[in-house]
């Protein structure tokens, strides 16, 4: 079986690694000069900082299992507990509140960041009947219906919508947090659903809370680096796949930069949705049209390193999230709390996340203006200097696919209109997180290996 993987992010690398490990002849093309996608490092004042995700959600095991298979030691955060940006400053989230939703009446009555009226409205969740029509609804619709506008906008949306850099009133509940739908169906209430989830977690555990997040000891990029090393010269960087076409027989040809053409029996397209649409436009126009309709949002990561002696200025916990429109950032991570490192010394190290659906205009500003705005707002809530020693903005244009209402059906249509032997994987389809991407890539590789069996010659080049 000759397989060509287009795109060298974690999805493409995982699929290629699985196929190569089990005997398939695979080549991976990556447009940039290094594989890994958003998972990389940038130097900020002599400290290596993550450019993309900084951890793996541990309750989804695919990525954790892959790290262990590759021999990558995993570490847990050095702090726990997030905070919410409010008019009165940073307020800790309730402990043991799955998805930020409290699990009993007492916690609702103490829900930080809400008015008394907002708390009373949230308690109506215990009285309101279930929705019975089964129609797909937005995440915002579900939360507002059950908990009210104030609890949704001030307390829950900053946490949940922030993971997708999305608009809570456009994101699909079933495509983003189907657990909340299951809570309503099974328990008739999100509050009771949260309570049942906590109870089940206690019953299944050994009394010790498992970490929610972990990461490879040497950083997230060590995962994609290890995958690339395992593939060796099967990874070709600096090669842009421009188009995919049917070739003679049941094969495909991929035209790359410089007029090079490679042939394979199977092509796995692991590029972002917009790039995949362009690559598949001639071969699968209907699928390409659907791919092009996936809304993409631009984001950026702003990394700060402060002077020696500033670490003590950071509040306890791992950082904070921000309700829409209250600050230039959507969230911030206290890196030197969450992932302590001797290299930090006594310096405060912070990452801010900027840009989301409806808030992309912030990214129109120059880097220095974004740095200054974020630094001022950080200094307003914790006693940090207004000027960091070093700061770097890493921009990710059109990087976050929006799982809006109808997204699941769109993904089904995309895959239905792809020719046999053409597959799409990545964060635009089966989940935006690293574990989701690893699981989907592993599933595709497994299906291909089960269907085809013995390997054949590798991709061939033509003039």
């Amino acid at each position: 079986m000759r397989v060509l993987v287009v795109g060298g992010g974690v999805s493409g690398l995982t699929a290629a690694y699985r196929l190569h490990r089990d005997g398939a002849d695979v080549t991976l093309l990556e447009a940039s000069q290094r594989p890994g996608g958003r998972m990389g490092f940038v130097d900020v004042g002599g400290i290596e900082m993550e450019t993309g995700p900084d951890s793996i959600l541990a309750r989804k095991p695919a990525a954790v299992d892959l790290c262990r298979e590759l021999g990558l030691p995993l570490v847990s955060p050095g702090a726990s507990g997030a905070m919410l940006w409010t008019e009165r400053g940073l307020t800790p989230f309730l402990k043991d509140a799955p998805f930020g939703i409290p699990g009993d009446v007492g916690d609702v009555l103490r829900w930080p960041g809400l008015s008394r009226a907002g708390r009373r409205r949230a308690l109506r969740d215990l009285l309101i009947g279930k929705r019975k029509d089964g129609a797909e609804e937005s995440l915002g619709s579900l939360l507002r219906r059950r908990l009210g506008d104030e609890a949704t906008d001030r307390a829950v949306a900053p946490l949940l919508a922030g993971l997708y850099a999305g608009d809570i009133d456009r994101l699909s509940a079933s495509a983003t947090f189907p657990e909340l739908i299951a809570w309503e169906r099974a328990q008739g209430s999100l509050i009771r659903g949260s309570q049942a989830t906590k109870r089940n977690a206690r019953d299944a555990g050994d009394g010790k809370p498992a970490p929610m997040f972990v990461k490879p000891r040497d950083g997230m990029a060590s995962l994609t680096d290890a995958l690339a090393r395992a593939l060796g010269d099967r990874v070709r960087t600096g090669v842009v796949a421009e188009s995919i076409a049917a070739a003679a027989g049941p094969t495909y040809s991929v035209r790359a930069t410089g007029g090079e053409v490679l042939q394979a029996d199977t092509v796995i397209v692991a590029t972002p949705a917009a790039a995949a649409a362009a690559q598949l436009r001639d071969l699968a126009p209907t699928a390409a049209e659907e791919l092009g309709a996936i809304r993409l949002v631009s984001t950026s990561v702003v990394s700060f390193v402060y002077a020696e002696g500033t670490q003590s200025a950071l509040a306890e916990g791992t950082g904070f999230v921000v309700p829409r429109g209250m600050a230039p950032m959507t969230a911030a991570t206290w890196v030197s709390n969450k992932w302590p490192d001797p290299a930090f010394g006594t310096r405060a190290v912070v990452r801010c996340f900027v840009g989301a659906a409806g808030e992309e205009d912030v990214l129109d500003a120059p880097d220095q203006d974004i740095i200054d705005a974020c630094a001022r707002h950080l200094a307003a809530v914790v006693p940090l200097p207004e000027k960091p020693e070093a700061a770097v903005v890493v921009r990710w244009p059109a990087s976050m696919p929006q799982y809006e209402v109808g997204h699941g059906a769109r993904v089904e249509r995309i895959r239905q209109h792809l020719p046999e032997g053409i597959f799409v994987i990545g964060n635009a389809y089966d989940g935006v997180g690293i574990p989701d991407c690893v699981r989907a890539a592993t599933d595709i590789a497994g299906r291909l290996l089960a269907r085809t069996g013995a390997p054949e010659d590798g991709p061939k080049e033509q003039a």
Side-chain angles (χ1 to χ4, degrees), residues 32-412:
S32 67
Q33 294 303 316
R34 67 168 296 274
R38 288 190 294 163
M39 291 160 67
F41 295 107
V42 63
D43 183 278
V44 186
I47 291 177
E48 280 195 337
M49 300 279 286
E50 305 269 11
T51 58
D54 74 346
S55 58
I56 297 167
L57 185 61
R59 68 182 175 85
K60 294 183 176 182
V64 169
D65 291 346
L66 178 59
C67 288
R68 289 173 175 155
E69 180 181 333
L70 293 165
L72 300 176
L74 297 171
V75 295
S76 302
S80 62
M83 290 172 286
L84 177 67
W85 181 295
T86 73
E87 293 90 343
R88 297 181 300 280
L90 299 181
T91 300
F93 272 101
L94 292 168
K95 293 183 178 180
D96 299 323
F99 303 112
I101 298 172
D104 60 52
V105 171
D107 283 343
V108 176
L109 291 173
R110 293 187 295 271
W111 205 342
L114 299 188
S115 66
R116 290 182 180 179
R119 293 168 185 163
R120 288 196 299 270
R121 169 60 186 88
L123 282 172
R124 288 182 56 198
D125 171 65
L126 296 167
L127 305 174
I128 297 169
K130 304 178 188 179
R131 185 180 183 186
K132 297 179 180 178
D133 61 15
E136 184 178 11
E137 66 178 325
S138 72
L139 182 59
S141 172
L142 170 62
L143 293 169
R144 294 182 195 286
R145 184 166 51 77
R146 302 288 337 168
L147 301 172
D149 291 341
E150 186 179 337
T152 295
D153 291 330
R154 292 193 182 184
V156 184
L159 192 63
L160 300 191
L163 297 173
Y164 289 83
D167 179 343
I168 201 162
D169 292 308
R170 297 180 66 168
L171 292 174
S172 163
S174 59
T176 55
F177 295 98
E179 299 94 335
L180 300 183
I181 299 173
W183 286 3
E184 181 180 31
R185 288 175 180 167
Q187 304 293 332
S189 157
L190 297 186
I191 293 171
R192 284 193 290 266
S194 173
Q195 186 178 60
T197 297
K198 290 193 298 180
R199 183 172 58 249
N200 293 340
R202 285 195 301 267
D203 293 344
D206 59 2
K208 297 179 181 179
M212 182 176 294
F213 298 99
V214 295
K215 75 168 184 175
R217 182 186 60 200
D218 296 325
M220 291 298 296
S222 66
L223 170 56
T224 47
D225 288 347
L227 291 168
R229 281 196 304 272
L231 289 163
D233 60 6
R234 294 165 187 83
V235 175
R236 296 183 53 192
T237 58
V239 180
V240 178
E242 296 173 344
S243 63
I244 304 168
T251 62
Y252 296 96
S253 61
V254 175
R255 181 169 294 277
T257 46
E260 180 184 8
V261 176
L262 298 96
Q263 290 186 331
D265 306 300
T266 297
V267 180
I268 299 176
V269 182
T271 52
Q279 289 156 348
L280 292 166
R281 185 169 293 120
D282 294 334
L283 178 66
T286 302
E289 184 177 356
E290 293 282 6
L291 282 162
I294 296 174
R295 187 176 176 220
L296 301 170
V297 166
S298 298
T299 63
S300 70
V301 180
V302 189
S303 298
F304 295 94
V305 174
Y306 288 86
E308 291 285 352
T310 54
Q311 167 60 23
S312 60
L314 298 181
E316 292 185 5
T318 60
F320 61 83
V321 297
V322 183
R324 179 177 289 268
M326 292 187 70
M329 69 281 277
T330 59
T333 298
W334 309 142
V335 177
S336 45
N337 281 5
K338 187 177 181 182
W339 305 112
D341 189 312
F344 299 159
T346 61
R347 293 176 288 182
V349 181
V350 180
R351 291 206 312 166
C352 291
F353 303 89
V354 177
E359 299 182 63
E360 292 178 276
D361 58 331
V362 178
L363 299 174
D364 293 337
D367 286 2
Q368 191 59 52
D369 289 354
I370 294 173
I371 289 169
D372 291 345
C374 289
R376 284 196 307 273
H377 281 74
L378 287 172
V381 291
V382 289
L384 285 170
E386 284 201 9
K387 297 289 185 182
E389 276 197 342
V392 172
V393 177
V394 177
R395 295 174 181 264
W396 295 111
S399 60
M400 283 297 290
Q402 298 298 288
Y403 284 31
E404 298 182 346
V405 173
H407 181 79
R410 169 166 285 128
V411 171
E412 286 185 14

